[in-house]
Amino acid sequence: MRPEVRPMTDEDKPAVIQMLRNIPEFEPTEIDVAEEVINSYLGDSIRSGYHIFVAEVGSSIAGYICYGPTPLTEGTWDIYWLAVAPDKQSQGIGKALLNFADGNIKERKGRLALIETSSKPEYETTRLFYRAQGYEIACRIANFYAPGDDKLVFQKRLR
Ligand SMILES: CC(C)(COP(=O)(O)OP(=O)(O)OC[C@H]1O[C@@H](n2cnc3c(N)ncnc32)[C@H](O)[C@@H]1OP(=O)(O)O)[C@@H](O)C(=O)NCCC(=O)NCCS
């Protein structure tokens, strides 16, 4: 089913946090950071600098994406979070959210979108997903997150 992509509201927060807890790739400390970012956005979306959208299927939250302009750059944007509920993955929801974000960033005169991820084996599907969406590896910082866990920065030129 095609998801509806719409701005996140206060009412969505419990479902989004629960969805993040259900995703095995995310550590509890990462979910704490995601929640801080969500609180900042829900408190004052304009001043927070974050844009958060949810994908709804039927009346339930199936995924969310969070992105924003990278401070002190001209037209560079970071995609900070993208997640789809485990039972809703591989149904085109991540693609719908990322396509939406790419389009929205472009409309806002963004020219470069960046996404960081880990080199750990459990993120292999995620890396294949980014490649399938037209993102390519711009750089790798070895042993960034932990010994043996590199940071990969994916990029997409939007204009
Ligand atoms: C990564 C993630 C966001 C992808 O979302 P998704 O809804 O499962 O992915 P989609 O169904 O939209 O996949 C879209 C495309 O990605 C590619 N893709 C997805 N999984 C793939 C796999 N295992 N192998 C190869 N290609 C794959 C396919 O080309 C697919 O396109 P197609 O259906 O037209 O063939 C989701 O799996 C997820 O939340 N994972 C856990 C959390 C995470 O890693 N988040 C990102 C890091 S912050």
Side-chain angles (χ1 to χ4, degrees):
M1 192 190 276
R2 228 180 122 77
E4 186 201 343
V5 178
R6 58 161 179 80
M8 183 180 176
T9 65
D10 289 327
E11 290 70 36
D12 298 323
K13 189 181 155 186
V16 170
I17 299 296
Q18 190 54 53
M19 177 188 72
L20 292 173
R21 291 196 179 120
N22 292 342
I23 295 177
E25 288 88 343
F26 292 143
E27 304 285 346
T29 48
E30 292 177 297
I31 299 172
D32 290 346
V33 174
E35 187 166 2
E36 279 174 29
V37 169
I38 287 169
N39 288 342
S40 166
Y41 166 80
L42 293 174
D44 187 337
S45 62
I46 309 261
R47 284 188 59 193
S48 75
Y50 297 117
H51 299 251
I52 306 187
F53 288 81
V54 294
E56 207 170 34
V57 175
S59 55
S60 63
I61 299 295
Y64 97 123
I65 190 161
C66 170
Y67 54 92
T70 311
L72 306 179
T73 68
E74 206 179 289
T76 299
W77 287 61
D78 273 300
I79 296 175
Y80 298 110
W81 294 89
L82 170 60
V84 174
D87 63 338
K88 301 280 185 343
Q89 290 178 8
S90 303
Q91 295 172 34
I93 293 167
K95 186 174 177 171
L97 281 165
L98 192 53
N99 277 343
F100 175 87
D102 287 350
N104 190 235
I105 291 169
K106 215 171 154 182
E107 276 168 24
R108 293 166 183 276
K109 306 212 183 315
R111 55 184 177 82
L112 175 64
L114 302 177
I115 309 179
E116 293 175 10
T117 197
S118 148
S119 66
K120 284 196 285 195
E122 52 265 49
Y123 280 96
E124 175 65 11
T125 304
T126 302
R127 295 190 292 271
L128 290 168
F129 166 79
Y130 290 144
R131 285 206 179 89
Q133 307 317 310
Y135 281 77
E136 56 178 13
I137 293 180
C139 68
R140 169 189 291 261
I141 302 177
N143 306 315
F144 177 83
Y145 295 110
D149 184 3
D150 305 347
K151 170 154 104 174
L152 302 176
V153 181
F154 280 81
Q155 67 170 0
K156 187 173 184 179
R157 300 270 162 194
L158 299 173
R159 55 173 77 235

